[in-house]
Amino acid sequence: MEHAHFGCVETSALDGVDVVWEGAARLGDDEVEVRLWAGPSSEPDAEELDAFAGCLTGLPALDATARTALRAYLREDRSFIDHHVEELEDSEPVVRLVRDAAGEAVGADFFAAAMRLSGVGLWLGGLSDGPPVILDYVFDPDRSDQILAVKLTRDGTVVSVDWES
């Protein structure tokens, strides 16, 4: 299938799940890696690809929605924050957050603001029952491989936030 944003999307030769398109999207001053995933049972259609292209065009709004979910997740469960503060206590971002907290615990809002969107995964239908849009957020990616993955529907509704590595 030929698409205005993604070009030629071919899934018929796939033996398993694989990336069928790679690119980048702008979010402020950052360039974010984007991958379109498909499998042998994936049959892309124009509506689905148009929705994904809309997600990329509307990435700032999608990021704002995801960050709201991140803040809520981190307020409810501080484990991700505490892990990074303890494991990366000498890293510049942690030192800055601890200093700014002035003797209090590092706040979820400040921690979420310090996180960076590192990647967008778009999953063509037929791969699983999971959400088709996944935004991966990292904190100090040079020193930690831990990710908070915000999983969304094509229309931008948050389904879950999951800690992954």
Side-chain angles (χ1 to χ4, degrees):
M1 157 171 254
E2 189 69 32
H3 188 266
H5 183 88
F6 298 104
C8 182
V9 177
E10 178 59 49
T11 62
S12 61
L14 295 174
D15 290 330
V17 175
D18 205 351
V19 175
V20 294
W21 180 87
E22 285 185 271
R26 301 268 341 143
L27 182 61
D29 294 334
D30 293 330
E31 190 169 85
V32 179
E33 180 179 280
V34 180
R35 290 189 171 126
L36 178 64
W37 293 84
S41 64
S42 303
E43 290 294 327
D45 62 38
E47 180 183 330
E48 184 174 33
L49 293 174
D50 288 347
F52 286 154
C55 286
L56 299 178
T57 302
L59 191 56
L62 205 58
D63 176 63
T65 298
R67 286 184 183 278
T68 297
L70 284 174
R71 288 189 297 273
Y73 175 90
L74 293 168
R75 283 185 204 121
E76 186 175 311
D77 182 353
R78 291 190 47 82
S79 300
F80 193 84
I81 297 171
D82 295 341
H83 167 79
H84 283 85
V85 168
E86 291 167 10
E87 294 295 317
L88 306 176
E89 66 183 343
D90 62 339
S91 78
E92 189 275 323
V94 169
V95 168
R96 182 176 22 83
L97 286 171
V98 168
R99 182 188 63 234
D100 291 349
E104 300 292 324
V106 172
D109 293 353
F110 294 106
F111 192 88
M115 294 185 77
R116 174 178 157 283
L117 178 61
S118 66
V120 176
L122 305 171
W123 294 78
L124 289 173
L127 291 179
S128 72
D129 293 332
V133 179
I134 302 174
L135 305 181
D136 290 335
Y137 289 86
V138 295
F139 180 84
D140 200 355
D142 294 333
R143 300 196 47 203
S144 174
D145 65 352
Q146 304 300 302
I147 296 168
L148 285 182
V150 181
K151 299 176 180 179
L152 308 106
T153 61
R154 288 190 310 192
D155 69 359
T157 301
V158 174
V159 174
S160 68
V161 176
D162 299 305
W163 184 350
E164 301 176 355
S165 64

